[in-house]
Amino acid sequence: MSVETTTSPEVKKEPLFSKKNRKVLTDPLDDINPVTVQILGVCSALAVTTQIKPAIIMALGVTVVTAFSNLIIALIRDSIPGRIRMIVQLVIVALLVTIVDQLLKAYMFDVSKKLSVFVGLIITNCIVMGRLEAYAMSQKPWPSFLDGIGNGLGYGMILVVVAIIRELFGSGSLLGYKVVPQWLYDAGYSNNGLMMLPPAALFIIGIFIWIQRSRNRKLINAS
Amino acid sequence: MKFLRRIVDTVKPHFSKGGKFEKLHPAFDALETFLFVPATTTKEGVHVRDAIDLKRTMVTVIIALIPTVIFGMWNTGYQHHLAYGMEVSIMENFMFGFWKVLPIIIVSYAVGLGVEFIFAITKGHQISEGYLVTGLLIPLTLPVTIPLWMVGLAAIFCTLIGKEIFGGTGMNFMNPALLARIFLFFAFPAYMSGDIWTDLSPEAGQAIVDAYSGATNLVTFDADQTKLPSAANMFWGFEQGSIGETSVAACLIGAFILVATGIGSWQIIFSCFAGAWLMGVLLNVLAPADMPTHAMHTPAYYHWLMGGFAFGAVYMATDPVSAAQTETGKWIYGLLIGAFTVILRVFNPAYPEGVMLSILLMNVFASLIDHIVVERHIKRRLKKVSSE
């Protein structure tokens, strides 16, 4: 990801969803996907994807935190002294994560219990800090905000697809509803216990990377 | 044979470049070289010239596996009839097992080779013979009651994730057959452990005898090592277990074939046994004296006879692709497999079959062992040179 450093005084006002901004939003979904290309945030991707619901909530949490921390840092980027920028970033991320955590505890206590420490660990999620350092510190607030949303969605997309596969084959349900009919179990079908273990997520993400790179040739040797 | 040759020659143009079925050339090529020795030879350049090719290596391993297959089929019938308290002839025992085991072998080959064919045709490379052995090893490591669709799934998993993803035969860093087994072990634990080792399909007018117990020796000895059957019983393999693993005698015949033909490394087989024995003796010494039933008191050589240790050491650990390559490395590799197996068996009742896990673990470390051995060798030689 190349970071443009010099911004010449703009003559014309850029439209809100210009081509460049749209690219900032959509690039993380495929070409620079945080999980399958940058291999970031894998730890939480293994832990929270046994069921779809926690995966969706986690994806939303990370998207919100990435987007708003990007926005806030981009707003104050000129007044942060270079030497303590990491601490400033951490304080802002921690603040947002605490808000998300408290909201989950207040309104979705069961999901919050399932996600356990992984909500708190968004603070150390490499995607958040990575985007702050690589993007928000040198870009305007609006593109930074879009970049945060894009990366959160790129992460969340992988999370939800992995969770769908794991819940379907591991528990025979989707979002908690049984979808594998009883006659199939009677015929000898059995839920796959491996899918409930973290290695399954690693295999699935590995297969994603395989498929993505055989489809998108420019990723080979790019990372 | 001439007749076969003529058929192959008449259809050959269709599969060559420009022919109707050009896309299917890998499949044709695999069949042709399977039936006849290919005429192409190396003509120039420096190459290691050896009469043995991959196909002959694989066929030798299959021959070495035949004793375990035959014994496994017989034992399937024997255990079944034993559970029902019936006395039947050797042939009847064998035929019963034959019809139970054959479908598992067929599914394993059909699915695994199917995946290889699809990959070879879409990627345009040749079909390699690696699966010939894997396809037979997979059924031998499974209980006879395993549902066939699970065998198919495991075959897909091990070919896809174990081999093709790393570049096909010869590129796998783990033993594919064990990968298939460990996949089933974690995916469907209810079908891979517990009361599943004997085929209990109902017999007309017979009931299961009271003395029948579904526990294998590996489960028995963790609870009370004095309850183990006699060493001779375990050596010949009149016990419950996966299809091919029960008889140490059959495995030793296989080991003899492998070592005599130079296909399997005797260093690995020997050091596996040595490692298990040394660790067994060490545990005997450390075992708590006031608990004579504790698993640590098991006589060290019992570990050779129980479960799939001999099968794993002979057929799995010697897999030339995933084992250590250097001479010193082979010794370290084998000793550690043996030692880890015993440790897992004694201290982790949740995973009774330690040999599977320890071979896979050492597969991962094999290249690291080789690296260290080579580096040390270079350092020693350098020292010699610089001191002169």
Side-chain angles (χ1 to χ4, degrees), chain B residues 28-341:
Chain B
F28 171 78
D29 185 63
L31 195 68
E32 193 198 0
T33 51
F34 188 75
L35 293 171
F36 299 102
V37 177
T40 46
T41 48
T42 317
K43 290 194 181 65
E44 50 197 40
V46 182
H47 292 278
V48 177
R49 285 167 203 238
D50 197 334
I52 200 153
D53 65 349
L54 192 57
K55 216 157 265 169
R56 194 168 303 171
T57 313
M58 295 297 173
V59 169
T60 316
V61 182
I62 289 191
I63 292 171
L65 275 168
I66 285 176
T68 60
V69 175
I70 292 175
F71 185 87
M73 286 175 173
W74 175 82
N75 193 42
T76 303
Y78 173 73
Q79 293 297 340
H80 169 80
H81 291 119
L82 192 69
Y84 281 102
M86 295 160 73
E87 292 275 342
V88 294
S89 68
I90 290 183
M91 204 55 209
E92 261 178 280
N93 276 336
F94 177 76
M95 286 319 287
F96 179 88
F98 180 77
W99 292 115
K100 291 287 173 193
V101 175
L102 193 66
I104 304 180
I105 297 179
I106 291 175
V107 167
S108 157
Y109 269 121
V111 175
L113 285 176
V115 175
E116 290 233 0
F117 265 56
I118 291 167
F119 259 86
I121 287 167
T122 52
K123 299 218 147 189
H125 64 65
Q126 290 185 343
I127 297 167
S128 63
E129 298 82 3
Y131 197 76
L132 287 181
V133 168
T134 311
L136 190 56
L137 279 175
I138 293 174
L140 291 178
T141 57
L142 299 177
V144 70
T145 54
I146 193 90
L148 292 179
W149 69 271
M150 289 183 189
V151 180
L153 199 64
I156 293 175
F157 180 85
C158 87
T159 334
L160 212 60
I161 309 288
K163 250 166 44 176
E164 293 302 336
I165 210 165
F166 297 111
T169 301
M171 304 293 202
N172 48 301
F173 69 98
M174 278 183 175
N175 187 313
L178 276 183
L179 215 56
R181 188 183 202 273
I182 204 167
F183 171 76
L184 289 178
F185 184 78
F186 284 109
F188 308 108
Y191 293 85
M192 289 296 286
S193 53
D195 210 352
I196 42 102
W197 300 104
T198 302
D199 185 279
L200 293 176
S201 42
E203 288 273 347
Q206 300 281 343
I208 297 171
V209 294
D210 292 338
Y212 169 75
S213 142
T216 59
N217 295 331
L218 288 172
V219 176
T220 310
F221 105 106
D222 256 322
D224 180 356
Q225 63 97 5
T226 54
K227 293 250 168 67
L228 279 174
S230 73
N233 255 5
M234 294 199 288
F235 178 75
W236 296 113
F238 310 132
E239 55 182 350
Q240 301 181 70
S242 302
I243 295 165
E245 69 169 15
T246 54
S247 172
V248 179
C251 292
L252 287 183
I253 299 174
F256 179 75
I257 298 174
L258 287 181
V259 171
T261 52
I263 306 267
S265 144
W266 68 268
Q267 292 97 329
I268 292 179
I269 299 177
F270 183 80
S271 57
C272 277
F273 278 81
W277 190 78
L278 288 174
M279 185 48 78
V281 170
L282 180 70
L283 292 184
N284 282 349
V285 173
L286 297 176
D290 51 338
M291 289 164 66
T293 59
H294 195 278
M296 281 167 82
H297 281 293
T298 317
Y301 68 96
Y302 266 41
H303 285 292
W304 296 346
L305 309 174
M306 279 191 296
F309 178 77
F311 188 81
V314 171
Y315 299 108
M316 302 291 193
T318 54
D319 173 9
V321 180
S322 52
Q325 308 288 328
T326 51
E327 286 301 304
T328 324
K330 282 177 185 170
W331 285 96
I332 302 171
Y333 170 83
L335 282 171
L336 287 176
I337 286 180
F340 279 135
T341 304

